[in-house]
Amino acid sequence: MQSDISSIRGDTRKFQTFPFPMTSFFAAISRFIRRLFRTQRPRVEPRGTQRDQREDFPLRPRLQGRRLDQPTLSADAIGSATNESQKLESQQPAVANALRRLVYQATWDMPTARMHAGQFGSRLRQIDPSFTYEKYQFSKLIYLLEAVPDIVSLERVNNPGAAPAYYVRSPLDARALLIEALTSFDSEDGWVHADSAIAAMKSTNSDFSIETYGFSTPQAFIASHTDLIETKSKDTSYVRLRQPHTPPPKTPKRVVQPKRPYTQPVIKSTDRPKPKVSSNQGTRAIVHLSKFAGFTPQVLNQKVSELAAIALNERWYFGPQPPADFAYPILKSYLRYTFIRLQHERKVITSTHQKYRAFNSGLLDKLLRPIYALLISYPSSPQSWELVFCIPGEGPNGKALVSNFTVLPAAANYLSDPAKIFYHLTAGAPEVDWHHVIKDNMERLPSAFLAQYAPANFTYRNTQTLSGSEFHTYKKSFATALDNDPRAYRSIVNRLEEAMTRTLLKTQINYKTAVPTYYPNINSIDLLLPICLVEEDVADCALVVRMANSGKYIGHTILTLRQAYNNARLICKLDEHWLTRSMTLSQGVFEEEDDDSEEFEAEDDDVVESDDESLPEDRALSLDGSLS
């Protein structure tokens, strides 16, 4: 029996020493099959190893269906897969402005500088209860946040043995930037134009842009921060930091006295108290440029000529040839009243040490660079200023501009309310003050028209041959003759209304027929409608209309083509337009729209008090300084 057992053990030892054991045989077969099908076993590494920690960040959405035991691809296959990946990435949903505004609103005034992504998602849902990342075509909240790296930045924290955590930060403190911008302006009551505030934010931080946060206009951006800033009720273009609210003082309880019979006191006229007139009732002085800088008419003309020398070429005069005494009357009018508009918008800024003041001329030089006006105070006479025009950083004056102003002033803005620059035909025809148009401004109507429709017992005369006193006597006699001839007055009104109806039909075909215009003395944006009286397709004058609070238009006055061009040129350059006909007209004696003598008269005539309210309608002023 024992010999049989020994025999079996010996056979087993022989099997174990067989040169090709079975385990090696199956291993060889396995290697052969892997090589045949070019597969590769996955490399398994424990969580938290170096490979897991060096994963690229930020994350990218993984391709759907990818597995670790996929076959190894050839070079061509890898290139094809890369192209497919890029194609999938290009198909990622675009970030809508509504989403940008929502994410930005969640970052505004976060309770902590660093917030967990899950808590940030809850904050998004608190602001918009209907929020889901699927709503914006994202499969995960992290992917949504990665799509707006200019609004939020993600921080990944790896925890050994657990999934990574993500935290949200705001790369730009927009709240602090907005506060700094609003407090950087020298404004007594804190009001700053919205455009100027946005420009200051961009100057402080070049990465700032309202489009990044999903806003298209400065007013929309400002309106989203009512917790911090407030807008002016009369003009929403102006904003300021909210004033701290102080509760009114408690009124002590009134002690009720026993009633006594009332007797009317007798007050003499000499005893009546005179009403107190406050020197500052919420108004501010809008000063003409000549008065502010202490210019004489000759000095103002010299400064305008210096501006024309560096500005982009433009025709700054009326008629076939420039006037012999001064070649740039249109540019002088533009500079004077641009300075007024900039004061209304608080865009004439002062340096820290009060030595310099600056404003944006709104013009470009021949290299299409903005031209700035720099006012330099004289040490011997602080009330007088030297005016120079410069390009930022160019020459001594340009270097002084950049050195003394952190934020360069913004250009005048006339189009803060786009609804004002178009005539709304649904409002119908304007209601016109024909009495003021015809009787008070008869000299602005074409002479051929007046000669044809002159009232009875009135002899038409050429106003260019009349002196000042003769002209006013002539106008008075014309108004009296119209009062005595109602039929002639009705004929003139009917002819003007017919011309206005044709103009509205043209406006229906081409909205550019109505031209926006600026009235400096009342800081108003109105519209000019061409009136064709002598020839149907040739404008002879322009009717000024303004939309009332009711939505209807009122025709306030009439202007000559030259006056209309001067007013409209403040807003934009006019090319190939019905107003360009005025460029060929010679100036009449009583068309002194370029007369700036009011700037060099008494101080009261040089200051316009403005509280951002329009003056009474019967006191509206045109560019010529006369009542319109």
Side-chain angles (χ1 to χ4, degrees), residues 51 54 138 213 244 260 269 276 290 315 335 378 397 424 436 489 522 525 528 530 558 579 604 627:
R51 178 181 178 86
R54 67 170 182 264
F138 289 93
Y213 305 115
R260 291 191 242 172
S269 59
K276 295 182 180 180
S290 299
R315 184 173 175 178
L335 180 63
Y378 286 108
N397 296 323
H424 298 263
H436 178 65
Y489 182 62
I522 58 174
I525 305 296
L528 295 171
I558 198 168
L579 268 176
D604 293 340
L627 289 175

PDB file of all heavy atoms in Angstrom, residues 51 54 138 213 244 260 269 276 290 315 335 378 397 424 436 489 522 525 528 530 558 579 604 627:
ATOM      1  N   ARG A  51      -2.312  61.115  -9.917  1.00  0.00           N
ATOM      2  CA  ARG A  51      -3.029  61.246 -11.180  1.00  0.00           C
ATOM      3  C   ARG A  51      -4.389  61.917 -10.966  1.00  0.00           C
ATOM      4  O   ARG A  51      -4.825  62.737 -11.764  1.00  0.00           O
ATOM      5  CB  ARG A  51      -3.207  59.860 -11.803  1.00  0.00           C
ATOM      6  CG  ARG A  51      -3.995  59.869 -13.119  1.00  0.00           C
ATOM      7  CD  ARG A  51      -4.149  58.461 -13.655  1.00  0.00           C
ATOM      8  NE  ARG A  51      -4.932  58.455 -14.873  1.00  0.00           N
ATOM      9  CZ  ARG A  51      -4.439  58.650 -16.090  1.00  0.00           C
ATOM     10  NH1 ARG A  51      -3.162  58.905 -16.223  1.00  0.00           N
ATOM     11  NH2 ARG A  51      -5.218  58.613 -17.149  1.00  0.00           N
ATOM     12  N   ARG A  54      -3.954  65.803 -10.254  1.00  0.00           N
ATOM     13  CA  ARG A  54      -3.492  66.735 -11.273  1.00  0.00           C
ATOM     14  C   ARG A  54      -4.488  66.880 -12.427  1.00  0.00           C
ATOM     15  O   ARG A  54      -4.124  67.282 -13.527  1.00  0.00           O
ATOM     16  CB  ARG A  54      -2.131  66.287 -11.824  1.00  0.00           C
ATOM     17  CG  ARG A  54      -2.155  64.976 -12.623  1.00  0.00           C
ATOM     18  CD  ARG A  54      -0.816  64.764 -13.321  1.00  0.00           C
ATOM     19  NE  ARG A  54      -0.806  63.570 -14.123  1.00  0.00           N
ATOM     20  CZ  ARG A  54      -0.345  62.392 -13.730  1.00  0.00           C
ATOM     21  NH1 ARG A  54       0.154  62.265 -12.506  1.00  0.00           N
ATOM     22  NH2 ARG A  54      -0.374  61.341 -14.524  1.00  0.00           N
ATOM     23  N   PHE A 138     -28.057  73.264 -19.503  1.00  0.00           N
ATOM     24  CA  PHE A 138     -26.861  72.704 -18.890  1.00  0.00           C
ATOM     25  C   PHE A 138     -27.270  71.451 -18.103  1.00  0.00           C
ATOM     26  O   PHE A 138     -28.357  71.397 -17.519  1.00  0.00           O
ATOM     27  CB  PHE A 138     -26.182  73.704 -17.953  1.00  0.00           C
ATOM     28  CG  PHE A 138     -25.514  74.836 -18.673  1.00  0.00           C
ATOM     29  CD1 PHE A 138     -26.195  76.030 -18.898  1.00  0.00           C
ATOM     30  CD2 PHE A 138     -24.219  74.713 -19.144  1.00  0.00           C
ATOM     31  CE1 PHE A 138     -25.587  77.077 -19.566  1.00  0.00           C
ATOM     32  CE2 PHE A 138     -23.608  75.756 -19.808  1.00  0.00           C
ATOM     33  CZ  PHE A 138     -24.290  76.932 -20.027  1.00  0.00           C
ATOM     34  N   TYR A 213     -22.400  91.456 -17.660  1.00  0.00           N
ATOM     35  CA  TYR A 213     -23.454  91.102 -16.713  1.00  0.00           C
ATOM     36  C   TYR A 213     -24.834  91.058 -17.360  1.00  0.00           C
ATOM     37  O   TYR A 213     -25.844  91.028 -16.663  1.00  0.00           O
ATOM     38  CB  TYR A 213     -23.445  92.093 -15.552  1.00  0.00           C
ATOM     39  CG  TYR A 213     -22.098  92.182 -14.879  1.00  0.00           C
ATOM     40  CD1 TYR A 213     -21.352  93.353 -14.905  1.00  0.00           C
ATOM     41  CD2 TYR A 213     -21.553  91.065 -14.247  1.00  0.00           C
ATOM     42  CE1 TYR A 213     -20.096  93.415 -14.299  1.00  0.00           C
ATOM     43  CE2 TYR A 213     -20.315  91.130 -13.642  1.00  0.00           C
ATOM     44  CZ  TYR A 213     -19.590  92.306 -13.671  1.00  0.00           C
ATOM     45  OH  TYR A 213     -18.367  92.357 -13.080  1.00  0.00           O
ATOM     46  N   PRO A 244     -28.416 108.483   3.518  1.00  0.00           N
ATOM     47  CA  PRO A 244     -28.847 107.811   4.758  1.00  0.00           C
ATOM     48  C   PRO A 244     -30.161 108.394   5.253  1.00  0.00           C
ATOM     49  O   PRO A 244     -30.347 109.609   5.275  1.00  0.00           O
ATOM     50  CB  PRO A 244     -27.695 108.085   5.731  1.00  0.00           C
ATOM     51  CG  PRO A 244     -26.989 109.279   5.160  1.00  0.00           C
ATOM     52  CD  PRO A 244     -27.143 109.200   3.669  1.00  0.00           C
ATOM     53  N   ARG A 260     -60.993 129.770  22.127  1.00  0.00           N
ATOM     54  CA  ARG A 260     -61.376 131.154  22.325  1.00  0.00           C
ATOM     55  C   ARG A 260     -62.019 131.678  21.069  1.00  0.00           C
ATOM     56  O   ARG A 260     -61.702 131.196  19.983  1.00  0.00           O
ATOM     57  CB  ARG A 260     -60.134 132.007  22.641  1.00  0.00           C
ATOM     58  CG  ARG A 260     -59.556 131.706  23.987  1.00  0.00           C
ATOM     59  CD  ARG A 260     -58.527 132.744  24.326  1.00  0.00           C
ATOM     60  NE  ARG A 260     -57.223 132.151  24.491  1.00  0.00           N
ATOM     61  CZ  ARG A 260     -56.117 132.844  24.633  1.00  0.00           C
ATOM     62  NH1 ARG A 260     -56.163 134.138  24.581  1.00  0.00           N
ATOM     63  NH2 ARG A 260     -54.976 132.248  24.795  1.00  0.00           N
ATOM     64  N   SER A 269     -50.665 147.007   5.108  1.00  0.00           N
ATOM     65  CA  SER A 269     -49.845 146.570   3.977  1.00  0.00           C
ATOM     66  C   SER A 269     -48.369 146.722   4.275  1.00  0.00           C
ATOM     67  O   SER A 269     -47.537 145.958   3.802  1.00  0.00           O
ATOM     68  CB  SER A 269     -50.219 147.375   2.719  1.00  0.00           C
ATOM     69  OG  SER A 269     -50.021 148.766   2.958  1.00  0.00           O
ATOM     70  N   LYS A 276     -39.282 135.484   1.754  1.00  0.00           N
ATOM     71  CA  LYS A 276     -37.844 135.309   1.667  1.00  0.00           C
ATOM     72  C   LYS A 276     -37.486 134.630   0.358  1.00  0.00           C
ATOM     73  O   LYS A 276     -38.101 133.642  -0.026  1.00  0.00           O
ATOM     74  CB  LYS A 276     -37.334 134.481   2.848  1.00  0.00           C
ATOM     75  CG  LYS A 276     -37.523 135.173   4.190  1.00  0.00           C
ATOM     76  CD  LYS A 276     -36.947 134.320   5.301  1.00  0.00           C
ATOM     77  CE  LYS A 276     -37.121 134.999   6.659  1.00  0.00           C
ATOM     78  NZ  LYS A 276     -36.554 134.178   7.753  1.00  0.00           N
ATOM     79  N   SER A 290     -17.619 131.899 -22.314  1.00  0.00           N
ATOM     80  CA  SER A 290     -16.893 133.174 -22.284  1.00  0.00           C
ATOM     81  C   SER A 290     -16.915 133.799 -20.901  1.00  0.00           C
ATOM     82  O   SER A 290     -15.901 134.320 -20.422  1.00  0.00           O
ATOM     83  CB  SER A 290     -17.489 134.147 -23.306  1.00  0.00           C
ATOM     84  OG  SER A 290     -17.389 133.625 -24.604  1.00  0.00           O
ATOM     85  N   ARG A 315     -17.263 121.536 -42.734  1.00  0.00           N
ATOM     86  CA  ARG A 315     -17.608 122.900 -43.142  1.00  0.00           C
ATOM     87  C   ARG A 315     -18.302 123.598 -41.989  1.00  0.00           C
ATOM     88  O   ARG A 315     -19.413 123.213 -41.596  1.00  0.00           O
ATOM     89  CB  ARG A 315     -18.508 122.861 -44.375  1.00  0.00           C
ATOM     90  CG  ARG A 315     -18.835 124.231 -44.939  1.00  0.00           C
ATOM     91  CD  ARG A 315     -19.588 124.087 -46.249  1.00  0.00           C
ATOM     92  NE  ARG A 315     -20.015 125.377 -46.756  1.00  0.00           N
ATOM     93  CZ  ARG A 315     -20.669 125.540 -47.903  1.00  0.00           C
ATOM     94  NH1 ARG A 315     -20.941 124.474 -48.648  1.00  0.00           N
ATOM     95  NH2 ARG A 315     -21.048 126.726 -48.299  1.00  0.00           N
ATOM     96  N   LEU A 335     -19.405 124.819 -29.839  1.00  0.00           N
ATOM     97  CA  LEU A 335     -18.593 124.792 -28.627  1.00  0.00           C
ATOM     98  C   LEU A 335     -19.314 125.451 -27.466  1.00  0.00           C
ATOM     99  O   LEU A 335     -19.314 124.935 -26.332  1.00  0.00           O
ATOM    100  CB  LEU A 335     -17.252 125.484 -28.887  1.00  0.00           C
ATOM    101  CG  LEU A 335     -16.279 125.536 -27.710  1.00  0.00           C
ATOM    102  CD1 LEU A 335     -15.858 124.134 -27.301  1.00  0.00           C
ATOM    103  CD2 LEU A 335     -15.054 126.380 -28.067  1.00  0.00           C
ATOM    104  N   TYR A 378      -5.208 130.616 -14.030  1.00  0.00           N
ATOM    105  CA  TYR A 378      -4.082 131.534 -13.902  1.00  0.00           C
ATOM    106  C   TYR A 378      -3.744 131.734 -12.428  1.00  0.00           C
ATOM    107  O   TYR A 378      -4.644 132.011 -11.616  1.00  0.00           O
ATOM    108  CB  TYR A 378      -4.416 132.884 -14.527  1.00  0.00           C
ATOM    109  CG  TYR A 378      -4.430 132.882 -16.030  1.00  0.00           C
ATOM    110  CD1 TYR A 378      -5.630 132.968 -16.733  1.00  0.00           C
ATOM    111  CD2 TYR A 378      -3.248 132.795 -16.768  1.00  0.00           C
ATOM    112  CE1 TYR A 378      -5.665 132.968 -18.111  1.00  0.00           C
ATOM    113  CE2 TYR A 378      -3.281 132.791 -18.152  1.00  0.00           C
ATOM    114  CZ  TYR A 378      -4.480 132.876 -18.812  1.00  0.00           C
ATOM    115  OH  TYR A 378      -4.499 132.870 -20.178  1.00  0.00           O
ATOM    116  N   ASN A 397       0.166 119.655 -22.916  1.00  0.00           N
ATOM    117  CA  ASN A 397      -1.216 119.763 -22.449  1.00  0.00           C
ATOM    118  C   ASN A 397      -1.885 118.393 -22.334  1.00  0.00           C
ATOM    119  O   ASN A 397      -2.641 118.136 -21.392  1.00  0.00           O
ATOM    120  CB  ASN A 397      -2.010 120.663 -23.398  1.00  0.00           C
ATOM    121  CG  ASN A 397      -1.487 122.090 -23.419  1.00  0.00           C
ATOM    122  OD1 ASN A 397      -1.067 122.611 -22.393  1.00  0.00           O
ATOM    123  ND2 ASN A 397      -1.485 122.719 -24.587  1.00  0.00           N
ATOM    124  N   HIS A 424     -43.420 110.016 -33.297  1.00  0.00           N
ATOM    125  CA  HIS A 424     -44.389 108.931 -33.163  1.00  0.00           C
ATOM    126  C   HIS A 424     -45.650 109.319 -33.928  1.00  0.00           C
ATOM    127  O   HIS A 424     -46.456 110.153 -33.468  1.00  0.00           O
ATOM    128  CB  HIS A 424     -44.696 108.676 -31.687  1.00  0.00           C
ATOM    129  CG  HIS A 424     -43.502 108.242 -30.900  1.00  0.00           C
ATOM    130  ND1 HIS A 424     -43.226 106.917 -30.641  1.00  0.00           N
ATOM    131  CD2 HIS A 424     -42.494 108.945 -30.335  1.00  0.00           C
ATOM    132  CE1 HIS A 424     -42.115 106.813 -29.943  1.00  0.00           C
ATOM    133  NE2 HIS A 424     -41.645 108.035 -29.746  1.00  0.00           N
ATOM    134  N   HIS A 436     -47.885 132.504 -32.258  1.00  0.00           N
ATOM    135  CA  HIS A 436     -46.471 132.772 -31.972  1.00  0.00           C
ATOM    136  C   HIS A 436     -45.618 132.562 -33.228  1.00  0.00           C
ATOM    137  O   HIS A 436     -44.677 133.328 -33.492  1.00  0.00           O
ATOM    138  CB  HIS A 436     -45.999 131.849 -30.852  1.00  0.00           C
ATOM    139  CG  HIS A 436     -44.560 131.994 -30.502  1.00  0.00           C
ATOM    140  ND1 HIS A 436     -44.026 133.138 -29.957  1.00  0.00           N
ATOM    141  CD2 HIS A 436     -43.520 131.128 -30.630  1.00  0.00           C
ATOM    142  CE1 HIS A 436     -42.732 132.984 -29.754  1.00  0.00           C
ATOM    143  NE2 HIS A 436     -42.401 131.769 -30.163  1.00  0.00           N
ATOM    144  N   TYR A 489     -55.085 135.877 -42.397  1.00  0.00           N
ATOM    145  CA  TYR A 489     -54.479 135.074 -41.326  1.00  0.00           C
ATOM    146  C   TYR A 489     -54.839 133.590 -41.475  1.00  0.00           C
ATOM    147  O   TYR A 489     -53.991 132.705 -41.328  1.00  0.00           O
ATOM    148  CB  TYR A 489     -54.948 135.615 -39.972  1.00  0.00           C
ATOM    149  CG  TYR A 489     -54.357 134.894 -38.772  1.00  0.00           C
ATOM    150  CD1 TYR A 489     -52.983 134.900 -38.545  1.00  0.00           C
ATOM    151  CD2 TYR A 489     -55.186 134.215 -37.884  1.00  0.00           C
ATOM    152  CE1 TYR A 489     -52.449 134.240 -37.439  1.00  0.00           C
ATOM    153  CE2 TYR A 489     -54.661 133.558 -36.779  1.00  0.00           C
ATOM    154  CZ  TYR A 489     -53.293 133.570 -36.570  1.00  0.00           C
ATOM    155  OH  TYR A 489     -52.757 132.907 -35.491  1.00  0.00           O
ATOM    156  N   ILE A 522     -33.004 125.579 -22.219  1.00  0.00           N
ATOM    157  CA  ILE A 522     -33.976 124.831 -21.429  1.00  0.00           C
ATOM    158  C   ILE A 522     -33.595 123.357 -21.370  1.00  0.00           C
ATOM    159  O   ILE A 522     -34.356 122.548 -20.846  1.00  0.00           O
ATOM    160  CB  ILE A 522     -35.404 124.989 -22.002  1.00  0.00           C
ATOM    161  CG1 ILE A 522     -35.457 124.514 -23.464  1.00  0.00           C
ATOM    162  CG2 ILE A 522     -35.890 126.401 -21.870  1.00  0.00           C
ATOM    163  CD1 ILE A 522     -36.872 124.523 -24.021  1.00  0.00           C
ATOM    164  N   ILE A 525     -34.567 118.193 -25.558  1.00  0.00           N
ATOM    165  CA  ILE A 525     -34.411 117.523 -26.840  1.00  0.00           C
ATOM    166  C   ILE A 525     -35.753 117.573 -27.549  1.00  0.00           C
ATOM    167  O   ILE A 525     -36.747 117.027 -27.060  1.00  0.00           O
ATOM    168  CB  ILE A 525     -33.953 116.061 -26.677  1.00  0.00           C
ATOM    169  CG1 ILE A 525     -32.677 116.006 -25.845  1.00  0.00           C
ATOM    170  CG2 ILE A 525     -33.738 115.403 -28.025  1.00  0.00           C
ATOM    171  CD1 ILE A 525     -31.494 116.681 -26.490  1.00  0.00           C
ATOM    172  N   LEU A 528     -37.238 118.628 -35.212  1.00  0.00           N
ATOM    173  CA  LEU A 528     -37.401 119.610 -36.275  1.00  0.00           C
ATOM    174  C   LEU A 528     -38.132 118.959 -37.439  1.00  0.00           C
ATOM    175  O   LEU A 528     -37.732 117.894 -37.922  1.00  0.00           O
ATOM    176  CB  LEU A 528     -36.038 120.116 -36.759  1.00  0.00           C
ATOM    177  CG  LEU A 528     -35.185 120.908 -35.756  1.00  0.00           C
ATOM    178  CD1 LEU A 528     -33.794 121.136 -36.313  1.00  0.00           C
ATOM    179  CD2 LEU A 528     -35.851 122.240 -35.431  1.00  0.00           C
ATOM    180  N   PRO A 530     -39.354 119.721 -41.369  1.00  0.00           N
ATOM    181  CA  PRO A 530     -39.182 120.674 -42.478  1.00  0.00           C
ATOM    182  C   PRO A 530     -40.533 121.175 -42.978  1.00  0.00           C
ATOM    183  O   PRO A 530     -41.496 120.416 -43.094  1.00  0.00           O
ATOM    184  CB  PRO A 530     -38.464 119.841 -43.542  1.00  0.00           C
ATOM    185  CG  PRO A 530     -38.862 118.426 -43.249  1.00  0.00           C
ATOM    186  CD  PRO A 530     -39.009 118.345 -41.756  1.00  0.00           C
ATOM    187  N   ILE A 558     -40.913 128.326 -34.774  1.00  0.00           N
ATOM    188  CA  ILE A 558     -40.380 128.054 -36.106  1.00  0.00           C
ATOM    189  C   ILE A 558     -38.981 128.652 -36.194  1.00  0.00           C
ATOM    190  O   ILE A 558     -38.687 129.686 -35.558  1.00  0.00           O
ATOM    191  CB  ILE A 558     -41.313 128.645 -37.190  1.00  0.00           C
ATOM    192  CG1 ILE A 558     -41.020 128.003 -38.548  1.00  0.00           C
ATOM    193  CG2 ILE A 558     -41.224 130.158 -37.241  1.00  0.00           C
ATOM    194  CD1 ILE A 558     -42.073 128.311 -39.579  1.00  0.00           C
ATOM    195  N   LEU A 579     -31.579 119.663 -44.265  1.00  0.00           N
ATOM    196  CA  LEU A 579     -31.004 120.801 -43.559  1.00  0.00           C
ATOM    197  C   LEU A 579     -29.727 121.321 -44.212  1.00  0.00           C
ATOM    198  O   LEU A 579     -29.321 122.458 -43.966  1.00  0.00           O
ATOM    199  CB  LEU A 579     -30.704 120.412 -42.103  1.00  0.00           C
ATOM    200  CG  LEU A 579     -31.812 120.691 -41.088  1.00  0.00           C
ATOM    201  CD1 LEU A 579     -31.423 120.177 -39.728  1.00  0.00           C
ATOM    202  CD2 LEU A 579     -32.134 122.176 -41.032  1.00  0.00           C
ATOM    203  N   ASP A 604     -25.948 138.873 -15.077  1.00  0.00           N
ATOM    204  CA  ASP A 604     -27.243 138.205 -15.003  1.00  0.00           C
ATOM    205  C   ASP A 604     -27.642 137.612 -16.335  1.00  0.00           C
ATOM    206  O   ASP A 604     -28.396 136.645 -16.397  1.00  0.00           O
ATOM    207  CB  ASP A 604     -28.328 139.192 -14.543  1.00  0.00           C
ATOM    208  CG  ASP A 604     -28.102 139.616 -13.105  1.00  0.00           C
ATOM    209  OD1 ASP A 604     -27.392 138.894 -12.387  1.00  0.00           O
ATOM    210  OD2 ASP A 604     -28.639 140.667 -12.711  1.00  0.00           O
ATOM    211  N   LEU A 627     -36.256 135.393 -28.005  1.00  0.00           N
ATOM    212  CA  LEU A 627     -37.379 134.578 -27.573  1.00  0.00           C
ATOM    213  C   LEU A 627     -37.942 133.824 -28.758  1.00  0.00           C
ATOM    214  O   LEU A 627     -38.175 134.387 -29.816  1.00  0.00           O
ATOM    215  CB  LEU A 627     -38.459 135.466 -26.949  1.00  0.00           C
ATOM    216  CG  LEU A 627     -38.122 136.076 -25.586  1.00  0.00           C
ATOM    217  CD1 LEU A 627     -39.232 137.011 -25.162  1.00  0.00           C
ATOM    218  CD2 LEU A 627     -37.906 135.001 -24.556  1.00  0.00           C
TER     219      LEU A 627
END
